[in-house]
């Protein structure tokens, strides 16, 4: 059973070090790579360009990407325990790199380094903790910085548009598309998914259009595909 106290710890390094010291089996938050592959392939078509996976944990997601042909998948996590484990596990896979790093401070990476940044639950974890607004904005600004112009930040989350769209707008000048995927796909794929993964959901300024498209409180994970567009930032700065 997940308590409020434990979810508040999701933003703390000690929590993850302790969890991964006692958890040896791979665990994928929200969705496995096989479920999301069509969307990743759509928005990250160049498989020889660098991709960053933030808050990687002990997930097999990045392994799935490499098995699917991606050649340079960099993974970061705040937990030294899990990074040590993953470095040993994938020592024979040069396409997979693992670094201990705080997503709010990625100065080890130069600006404009990655074609894509993939986030399965890291922003959500930060939003569970103290100083959540400050820390989430720091994270999003760092994601923007390390992305190349026209690069994509792919955010897989339980956060509905009326919450996440506002936060994304506060951080940077993203161009955002919304996709959804059935939560049930995490375990047993449906023969006919209710939502077409690669088809964007209509999204207005505040996200209120989504309810009319998919109903109230749908059993889905939301996927925000946020494109970095330097021209939009330049225009906003001159207004």
């Amino acid at each position: 059973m997940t308590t409020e106290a434990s979810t508040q710890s999701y933003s703390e390094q000690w929590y993850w070090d302790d969890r991964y010291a006692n958890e040896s089996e791979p665990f994928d938050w929200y969705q496995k790579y096989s479920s999301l592959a069509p969307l990743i392939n759509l928005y990250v078509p160049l498989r020889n360009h660098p991709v960053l996976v933030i808050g990687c944990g002990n997930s097999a997601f990045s392994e799935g990407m490499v098995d699917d042909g991606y050649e340079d998948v960099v993974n970061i996590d705040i937990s030294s325990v899990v990074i040590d484990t993953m470095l040993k596990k994938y020592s024979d896979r040069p396409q997979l790199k693992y670094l201990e790093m705080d997503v709010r401070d990625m100065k080890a990476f130069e600006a404009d380094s990655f074609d894509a940044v993939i986030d399965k639950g890291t922003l959500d974890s930060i939003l569970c903790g103290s100083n959540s607004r400050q820390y989430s904005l720091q994270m999003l600004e760092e994601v923007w910085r390390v992305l190349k112009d026209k690069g994509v930040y792919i955010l897989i989350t339980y956060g509905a548009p009326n919450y996440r769209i506002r936060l994304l707008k506060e951080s940077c000048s993203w161009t955002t598309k919304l996709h959804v995927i059935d939560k049930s796909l995490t375990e047993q794929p449906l023969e006919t998914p209710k939502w077409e993964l690669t088809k964007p959901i209509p999204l207005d300024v505040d996200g209120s259009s989504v309810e009319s498209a998919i109903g109230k409180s749908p059993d889905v994970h939301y996927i925000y595909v946020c494109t970095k567009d330097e021209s939009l930032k330049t225009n906003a700065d001159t207004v």
Side-chain angles (χ1 to χ4, degrees):
M1 180 178 177
T2 302
T3 66
E4 183 177 349
S6 67
T7 58
Q8 287 177 347
S9 302
Y10 283 178
S11 64
E12 303 294 338
Q13 179 179 351
W14 64 262
Y15 170 85
W16 295 108
D17 280 343
D18 183 65
R19 175 166 174 162
Y20 290 125
N22 295 286
E23 185 179 280
S24 57
E25 291 300 313
F27 180 78
D28 264 294
W29 290 87
Y30 302 157
Q31 299 285 336
K32 292 180 168 62
Y33 180 72
S34 56
S35 299
L36 293 170
L39 193 75
I40 303 297
N41 296 164
L42 176 64
Y43 287 108
V44 193
L46 301 176
R47 302 188 187 201
N48 61 337
H49 285 212
V51 174
L52 176 64
V53 178
I54 57 176
C56 62
N58 61 7
S59 163
F61 189 89
S62 297
E63 178 186 354
M65 291 190 69
V66 169
D67 289 344
D68 197 22
Y70 289 93
E71 299 175 12
D72 188 2
V73 184
V74 181
N75 303 270
I76 67 168
D77 200 282
I78 199 171
S79 170
S80 60
V81 173
V82 81
I83 291 298
D84 287 346
T85 298
M86 300 302 269
L87 281 169
K88 292 170 185 172
K89 181 176 181 178
Y90 293 113
S91 59
D92 61 341
R93 304 292 293 269
Q95 308 95 324
L96 288 168
K97 301 174 182 67
Y98 286 89
L99 300 165
E100 179 190 348
M101 197 178 301
D102 188 331
V103 72
R104 298 168 299 179
D105 181 8
M106 297 189 285
K107 59 178 174 288
F109 300 136
E110 295 182 1
D112 311 314
S113 292
F114 297 98
D115 278 30
V117 174
I118 299 173
D119 174 1
K120 277 196 315 132
T122 299
L123 179 63
D124 289 357
S125 293
I126 289 175
L127 289 171
C128 287
S130 57
N131 300 315
S132 60
R133 184 178 178 278
Q134 174 191 345
Y135 290 156
S136 60
L137 289 175
Q138 286 176 354
M139 173 195 145
L140 290 168
E141 287 164 5
E142 274 291 85
V143 168
W144 174 281
R145 185 184 66 80
V146 302
L147 271 175
K148 297 176 183 178
D149 191 32
K150 303 303 187 293
V152 291
Y153 168 48
I154 301 176
L155 168 63
I156 300 100
T157 172
Y158 65 79
N162 52 326
Y163 298 107
R164 292 296 181 267
I165 291 296
R166 182 170 64 246
L167 181 61
L168 290 167
K169 285 182 177 297
E170 284 180 21
S171 65
C172 302
S173 301
W174 304 105
T175 299
T176 303
K177 292 183 179 180
L178 174 65
H179 297 255
V180 296
I181 185 169
D182 292 284
K183 285 182 179 178
S184 54
L185 289 179
T186 55
E187 298 299 332
Q188 195 68 32
L190 300 174
E191 289 184 13
T192 306
K194 191 173 183 180
W195 317 109
E196 187 179 340
L197 176 60
T198 55
K199 183 178 179 181
I201 301 295
L203 186 63
D204 58 12
V205 175
D206 61 359
S208 59
S209 61
V210 175
E211 186 175 317
S212 61
I214 63 175
K216 190 172 185 178
S217 301
D219 194 27
V220 299
H221 288 126
Y222 298 93
I223 306 168
Y224 301 88
V225 180
C226 309
T227 302
K228 175 179 176 177
D229 189 336
E230 288 283 10
S231 67
L232 293 177
K233 188 174 188 297
T234 302
N235 291 340
D237 290 343
T238 57
V239 172

